[in-house]
Amino acid sequence: MAQTVEHGRWLIRLIVLKKLLLAVVLLAVSLAAVLGDLHYAELSDFADTWGKADRQFLSSLAEKGTLLGPTRLMRLALVSGLYAALILVAAWATWVGRRWGEWLLVGVLGLALPLELEHALHEQSPRPWIVLGLTVIGLVLTTRMALTPERHQ
């Protein structure tokens, strides 16, 4: 039984690491959206300049920012920043073995399910189904870990 709990703990830590990577990406999106809002008038100039300099990724981001508009850019910044903070708190608390962190991680994984399901249903690729399956597995493992009454550290 102790080996199964320890194996489950390592799987949970892998899930936490993946969520930390997601939080970093979301923080970058939030920062980019804030900067895009602050420099909204110059976004189309940035897109042109970066396009001419063969920086297609940056050019594409600037173009998408102009299409969103300043209000939606700020909403994107706020939502992605708050979700990233929630993920960071859940990941940290789970990593250090806090039971409330495990439950918060269950909530974070549960929040992602509807979006991942919608994405899987609309995309003609196996990748979103794999991501959805991993999220469900993570949700089951994290819930089991949170429900486990005894701790083996």
Side-chain angles (χ1 to χ4, degrees):
M1 174 80 178
Q3 187 176 11
T4 305
V5 170
E6 190 61 32
H7 183 66
R9 175 62 63 189
W10 276 105
L11 289 173
I12 298 293
R13 287 190 176 215
L14 286 174
I15 292 166
V16 166
L17 290 174
K18 182 229 177 227
K19 286 296 180 185
L20 285 173
L21 179 63
L22 175 64
V24 168
V25 170
L26 286 172
L27 286 174
V29 167
S30 182
L31 180 62
V34 167
L35 291 175
D37 182 60
L38 293 175
H39 301 286
Y40 185 75
E42 299 138 0
L43 276 181
S44 60
D45 294 336
F46 290 148
D48 290 340
T49 303
W50 290 330
K52 290 175 185 170
D54 202 27
R55 294 193 172 115
Q56 296 303 318
F57 179 69
L58 293 175
S59 177
S60 171
L61 287 178
E63 286 176 23
K64 288 179 182 175
T66 59
L67 293 175
L68 284 176
T71 303
R72 291 181 71 196
L73 275 173
M74 281 312 292
R75 286 183 192 156
L76 175 65
L78 180 65
V79 170
S80 60
L82 288 174
Y83 190 56
L86 184 67
I87 291 171
L88 288 172
V89 170
W92 170 80
T94 301
W95 189 271
V96 297
R98 307 275 192 231
R99 176 130 354 203
W100 62 266
E102 293 169 356
W103 283 113
L104 187 57
L105 187 59
V106 167
V108 166
L109 290 167
L111 279 174
L113 276 178
L115 296 173
E116 290 178 8
L117 181 60
E118 180 183 357
H119 189 233
L121 290 172
H122 288 86
E123 188 173 312
Q124 301 296 322
S125 167
R127 186 186 56 79
W129 288 104
I130 292 169
V131 171
L132 178 62
L134 291 174
T135 300
V136 169
I137 290 169
L139 185 60
V140 168
L141 288 174
T142 308
T143 303
R144 284 182 59 202
M145 188 64 66
L147 289 172
T148 302
E150 57 187 67
R151 300 288 185 167
H152 293 94
Q153 299 290 344

